[in-house]
Amino acid sequence: MFHLLKYALLFGVITTQASVIFAKDWSASELGVEVGSIIAQDSTLTVAANPSGQILISVPSEDFSLDKNFKIDLKFAEQPPRQVFVVWQTHLSKKTYQQGFNYLGEMAPAIDMRGIEGWSGKATSIELGFITGPGQKMSISGVRLFKPGVLDYLHDRWADWSEVKTWHPVDLNMYTGTKWNSTDPFPAQFFAMTGFCLVIVYLLLLRRRATLSGTALIIFTTWLALDSFWQLKLWHQVTKTTEQYGSLSSHKKVLASEHSAYAGFADAALPILNRQDARIFIAGTNDYEAMSTAYYLSPKNVFWDRRGIELPDASHIRSGDFIVLLRKNSVNYNPSTSLLSLPGNKGFRVEERLSHRVGTLIEVM
């Protein structure tokens, strides 16, 4: 009994040490604001961005050495900016270093400083910059600088493998199965190696008593563990799909999707294209934008030449035709003079009928 208690205590000490090797926490009240206006500062620091949409906060300057394995945890009280900058100086160099990170609005991003140039030596200052809209508020409740241990690493791997990026098919279909599809170790390789090692240990321990059914059970168990991550993401996707689209009509589902801009443009344009003989030409250099626009206008007589000329020869354009000029196009159109020029033609007089974020709808006069 005494030995069991001793080993349990030893395991507890090792686990505690493994979880965090070094950590320094700063509460919201300890943070300084270099750029932006303080709105409130108690348990949470709330700052309004300057007219350029910038916020810069500083942590108390302390004499400690930076480590290449350090991470910076940020704890936001409200929806944070998507872009974060770490700015620092060290005793080794008077140069100011800066590194940007995109975290897509995560409430508690962990900034990994591994491999960042200049992140070494004793720090003289550490600041955190944020890019947001002019006057927009940002609330942060704390900052933590730490060197992760074994348990932190395992926690990060679990978070990486189980994270789902909604509406990204690659998140479900790629074998990597990680959050950014580029951060190893990947689940497939890990579980394959784990299964292989377990089979080897099983065969070495049991030798002649080992059976094919025992080996198959080990392989099946490791496959089931790997598949659980894919199933987790799949059900997460189902839940999000139900929440976002479950109660909507067919048309409103499109307006709630990533194609909402193109469907909205078609909704606004179709009443204008009310003639039976109306011809609509799609002019754009981006295949995806042009294809999506043509698809939602497809009940009408739509012309789009994929990877070909944006507009046909001038001899094929006639009065009453409509032209959709997408955001990316190479058509010679001058809105100030209402002239559209094509090769071999001095110019068509046109009239702008609709301006939308997808593009501009003009009619040939």
Side-chain angles (χ1 to χ4, degrees):
M1 185 67 179
F2 172 75
H3 290 293
L4 288 176
L5 290 174
K6 181 175 68 174
Y7 288 129
L9 179 61
L10 178 61
F11 177 77
V13 171
I14 292 174
T15 303
T16 303
Q17 292 298 318
S19 62
V20 176
I21 299 173
F22 166 88
K24 179 61 183 175
D25 294 274
W26 293 283
S27 64
S29 59
E30 296 177 281
L31 303 177
V33 177
E34 309 299 326
V35 176
S37 305
I38 298 177
I39 297 176
Q41 186 171 16
D42 38 53
S43 60
T44 300
L45 172 63
T46 303
V47 185
N50 68 4
S52 299
Q54 300 170 334
I55 295 174
L56 184 66
I57 64 175
S58 60
V59 300
S61 178
E62 298 190 20
D63 194 19
F64 54 80
S65 296
L66 301 178
D67 188 280
K68 64 178 181 180
N69 293 314
F70 273 176
K71 286 190 175 184
I72 302 175
D73 266 355
L74 305 177
K75 297 179 179 63
F76 292 98
E78 297 177 357
Q79 191 67 18
R82 293 192 171 192
Q83 196 167 23
V84 181
F85 290 88
V86 180
V87 185
W88 72 94
Q89 287 184 331
T90 65
H91 283 298
L92 297 177
S93 172
K94 297 300 181 183
K95 178 181 177 182
T96 299
Y97 294 94
Q98 176 176 300
Q99 183 68 39
F101 302 88
N102 292 315
Y103 282 95
L104 304 177
E106 293 181 30
M107 294 298 293
I111 301 174
D112 194 342
M113 299 304 293
R114 285 181 298 176
I116 304 299
E117 180 187 357
W119 187 260
S120 61
K122 291 190 175 182
T124 56
S125 68
I126 299 178
E127 297 172 325
L128 300 167
F130 307 91
I131 301 297
T132 182
Q136 188 169 333
K137 299 177 183 178
M138 182 201 73
S139 296
I140 187 168
S141 56
V143 177
R144 189 183 200 214
L145 178 69
F146 70 102
K147 184 177 181 180
V150 175
L151 292 185
D152 286 297
Y153 178 80
L154 294 176
H155 178 271
D156 288 346
R157 293 286 66 75
W158 168 262
D160 194 26
W161 292 354
S162 60
E163 179 71 20
V164 60
K165 299 192 294 296
T166 312
W167 314 130
H168 288 224
V170 70
D171 190 56
L172 296 175
N173 300 328
M174 281 192 69
Y175 79 98
T176 53
T178 55
K179 183 175 182 180
W180 304 111
N181 297 309
S182 60
T183 52
D184 56 6
F186 303 116
Q189 292 92 327
F190 173 81
F191 282 100
M193 184 57 67
T194 300
F196 176 77
C197 292
L198 289 175
V199 169
I200 295 298
V201 171
Y202 171 72
L203 295 176
L204 289 175
L205 290 177
L206 297 185
R207 297 187 181 181
R208 293 184 179 180
R209 290 178 296 160
T211 62
L212 286 176
S213 59
T215 303
L217 180 61
I218 293 174
I219 295 173
F220 174 75
T221 303
T222 53
W223 170 82
L224 191 63
L226 170 63
D227 190 64
S228 65
F229 286 102
W230 185 82
Q231 292 290 342
L232 178 66
K233 294 184 179 187
L234 185 62
W235 283 108
H236 190 107
Q237 189 83 41
V238 170
T239 301
K240 287 294 183 182
T241 302
T242 304
E243 289 176 356
Q244 186 163 341
Y245 297 108
S247 62
L248 302 178
S249 64
S250 297
H251 184 65
K252 287 185 178 180
K253 286 176 182 176
V254 177
L255 294 176
S257 72
E258 64 273 17
H259 270 202
S260 59
Y262 306 105
F265 175 79
D267 284 351
L270 287 175
I272 301 172
L273 310 170
N274 52 11
R275 297 198 317 271
Q276 290 295 326
D277 61 341
R279 303 190 306 173
I280 303 101
F281 297 89
I282 308 294
T285 56
N286 183 288
D287 272 358
Y288 180 81
E289 292 182 0
M291 186 188 320
S292 301
T293 305
Y295 174 80
Y296 288 104
L297 291 174
S298 58
K300 296 294 184 179
N301 184 15
V302 178
F303 172 89
W304 172 55
D305 186 7
R306 186 180 186 187
R307 297 193 179 96
I309 57 173
E310 290 183 83
L311 293 176
D313 188 76
S315 61
H316 296 286
I317 303 294
R318 67 190 184 199
S319 177
D321 286 342
F322 292 92
I323 300 172
V324 178
L325 300 174
L326 298 178
R327 291 176 301 174
K328 297 178 181 178
N329 70 80
S330 59
V331 175
N332 185 8
Y333 167 59
N334 188 339
S336 61
T337 60
S338 297
L339 284 178
L340 173 71
S341 298
L342 294 175
N345 179 272
K346 293 182 180 180
F348 289 101
R349 180 71 60 181
V350 297
E351 181 179 335
E352 186 174 310
R353 300 296 302 274
L354 174 65
S355 180
H356 191 272
R357 60 181 174 134
V358 167
T360 304
L361 176 66
I362 58 176
E363 182 179 1
V364 180
M365 294 290 100

